Structures are given as C-alpha cells and as structure tokens.
C-alpha cells in the first residue's frame, strides 16, 4: 500500500481519517493523496418556468470553503513526516473518488453519522467498494483513528469477495496483536477457510479460526456478539457477497455493518 487516497472534507470525521492515513503512511512508507470533492452541478438551479441558472453566489462560497480547507490541510500536513498532496476535484464524492482510486492502493472514507436508532446514515463506502478495484477503509463517523496494533477480525464465508478483502488487508494486519478469522455456518463459497489461513501464514500472519453456529440467531446477531467480545480494531470483509439488490431488500452482513459497524471496516468486492 504505497498510494493512499483520502476523502477530504470539513466534517468532524475528517480528523480520524487524517490520523489514520498518517499512521498507515508512516508504517508502510505510503504517499497520501487527499481529495476535496466539489460537485459543480449542485449549484445549477431551475425556476418554475423550466429555465436553468447558475447559483453564482453559492458556488463562490463553496469554492472559497474548498480553498480554505485545502490551505488548512496543507498547513497541517506540512508538519508531518510523510509525502502528501491535496487536490480539488469537480464532481460528487463517489464519481471523483472512483476516478482517483483507479491508481490507488487503498481508499479511506468515513461511514455516515448515526441516527436516533444508532444506525449510520447512507454512506458512499458501500458504493465505492463496488466501483473501484482498490480496497476501501471505512471509519465509523465517531471512531478514533485506526489502531494498527489492535486485534483484527476477518469475516469469512469462502467467497471471492472475502478472499479479495483478505489479500488486500495483508499490509494492515502485519502488526496486529492478533488475527481471528470468524466463519458463521459452513463455507458458502469454493475457498475453504484452511486455504485462507495457509495463505496468511505464508505472509507471516498467523490467524486463529473460529467457526460459529447461528442457532436461533441471524448471522448479523452472531457477528455483533462476537465483535463485542473481541473488540477488534479492524474488521475485514468482502462487500456484497450476495447480490446487492437482495441485501438492500432483505438485509445482509454488508448492509448491517455499514449501518452499525463497531470498528473500522476494510471492504473489498
């Protein structure tokens, strides 16, 4: 992971994103690319008669805010010991980050803020994981920066998505205090958990396998209980191993964790 892409904005969650990127950059010798997304089209308005016009005053304010964010971020990063750059892209966050991530090794974003039920609001993390070849590190909005020495929890179901996430997470797991692979029920895919453990061991990562039965609980409930017991610093998972429409309509592990992640997520599809 030598090229990190970080979504930059003025939200409170930006601090955790920045510190996470700096920690990974120092440990892996990576270059940090911060991208400020400025969607020009949101300032195009229409009138009741079907005409369209540019909201110039609002656009000017947004451009000024972006420039101020770029200046503040550059001043902060100038004091750090990792290489970096800051850019402003025209376009919504998903489109701009998707394009920039084509030559990135990891994209760092935040999950949405939580509502009154404690569930994260819709976020670009799931969409980004589906559209880019790079893994996506999604931090809960209220979380602390990623702790690279904390335990890691790998969610395993034998799918290609799970295997992709496991391979992608290797550099982030190298210094983990412990790595535990959790499988709820039997393998759903064609890749046995033992093969995945063997792959990790050849990279110097020696993981423990825990096979869990659902019983009367759903896989999501089992994973929630297990995560509370383990208190992982990172959860590694394949994104949308089942068709995404099915997960949207009926629920699923990906959708659950995007809404209620107890720790940062490393997503890959």
């Amino acid at each position: 992971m030598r090229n990190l892409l970080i979504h930059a904005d003025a939200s409170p969650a930006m601090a955790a994103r920045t510190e996470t990127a700096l920690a990974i950059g120092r440990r892996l010798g990576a270059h940090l690319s911060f991208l400020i997304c400025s969607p020009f089209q949101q300032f195009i308005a229409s009138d009741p008669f079907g005409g369209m016009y540019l909201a110039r005053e609002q656009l000017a304010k947004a451009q000024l805010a972006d420039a101020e964010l770029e200046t503040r971020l550059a001043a902060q990063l100038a004091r750090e010991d990792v290489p970096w750059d800051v850019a402003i892209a025209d376009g919504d966050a998903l489109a701009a980050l998707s394009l920039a991530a084509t030559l990135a090794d990891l994209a760092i974003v935040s999950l949405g803020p939580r509502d009154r039920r404690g569930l994260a609001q819709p976020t670009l993390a799931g969409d980004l994981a589906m559209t880019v070849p790079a893994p996506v590190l999604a931090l809960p909005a209220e979380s602390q920066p990623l702790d690279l020495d904390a335990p890691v929890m790998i969610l395993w179901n034998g799918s290609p998505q799970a295997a992709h996430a496991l391979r992608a997470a290797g550099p982030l797991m190298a210094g983990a205090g412990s790595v535990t692979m959790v499988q709820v029920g039997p393998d759903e895919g064609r890749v046995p958990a033992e093969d995945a453990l063997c792959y990790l061991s050849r990279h110097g990562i020696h993981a423990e396998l825990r096979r869990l039965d659902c019983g009367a609980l759903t896989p999501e409930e089992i994973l929630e209980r297990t995560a509370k017991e383990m208190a992982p610093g990172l959860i590694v998972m394949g994104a949308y191993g089942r068709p995404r429409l099915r997960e949207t309509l009926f629920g699923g592990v990906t959708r659950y964790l995007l809404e209620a992640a107890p720790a940062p997520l490393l997503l890959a599809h």
Side-chain angles (χ1 to χ4, degrees), residues 122-181:
T123 174
L124 63 84
D127 292 333
L128 194 62
M130 293 288 290
T131 58
V132 302
V136 176
L137 179 61
L139 306 175
E142 72 287 354
S143 78
Q144 298 297 312
L146 176 67
D147 182 355
L148 291 169
D149 299 317
V152 173
M153 177 178 175
I154 302 172
L155 307 188
W156 186 257
N157 62 0
S159 68
Q161 291 83 5
H164 186 192
L166 180 144
R167 292 195 311 272
L172 300 181
M173 296 191 291
S178 63
V179 178
T180 304
M181 181 178 291

Side-chain angles (χ1 to χ4, degrees), residues 200-212:
L200 289 175
S201 68
R202 290 171 182 162
H203 285 270
I205 301 170
H206 304 289
E208 171 194 358
L209 175 61
R210 291 181 62 180
R211 284 193 169 97
L212 305 174

Side-chain angles (χ1 to χ4, degrees), residues 77-230:
L77 295 170
R79 301 189 295 269
E80 303 295 342
D81 54 353
V82 296
W84 56 271
D85 65 78
V86 181
I88 299 177
D90 178 25
D92 65 83
L94 178 60
L97 289 168
S98 295
L99 178 60
T102 54
L103 290 177
D105 300 312
L106 178 70
I108 301 176
V109 301
S110 293
L111 298 172
R114 298 183 188 271
D115 60 19
R116 291 178 296 177
R117 299 171 298 165
L119 301 179
Q121 298 173 13
T123 174
L124 63 84
D127 292 333
L128 194 62
M130 293 288 290
T131 58
V132 302
V136 176
L137 179 61
L139 306 175
E142 72 287 354
S143 78
Q144 298 297 312
L146 176 67
D147 182 355
L148 291 169
D149 299 317
V152 173
M153 177 178 175
I154 302 172
L155 307 188
W156 186 257
N157 62 0
S159 68
Q161 291 83 5
H164 186 192
L166 180 144
R167 292 195 311 272
L172 300 181
M173 296 191 291
S178 63
V179 178
T180 304
M181 181 178 291
V182 177
Q183 178 180 312
V184 180
D187 280 345
E188 297 177 4
R190 298 187 297 270
V191 185
E194 289 75 12
D195 288 357
L197 293 175
C198 183
Y199 170 87
L200 289 175
S201 68
R202 290 171 182 162
H203 285 270
I205 301 170
H206 304 289
E208 171 194 358
L209 175 61
R210 291 181 62 180
R211 284 193 169 97
L212 305 174
D213 293 323
C214 286
L217 302 177
T218 66
E220 293 83 357
E221 291 169 331
I222 290 290
L223 291 174
E224 180 179 21
R225 186 173 66 183
T226 305
K228 287 181 179 178
E229 294 172 359
M230 290 179 54

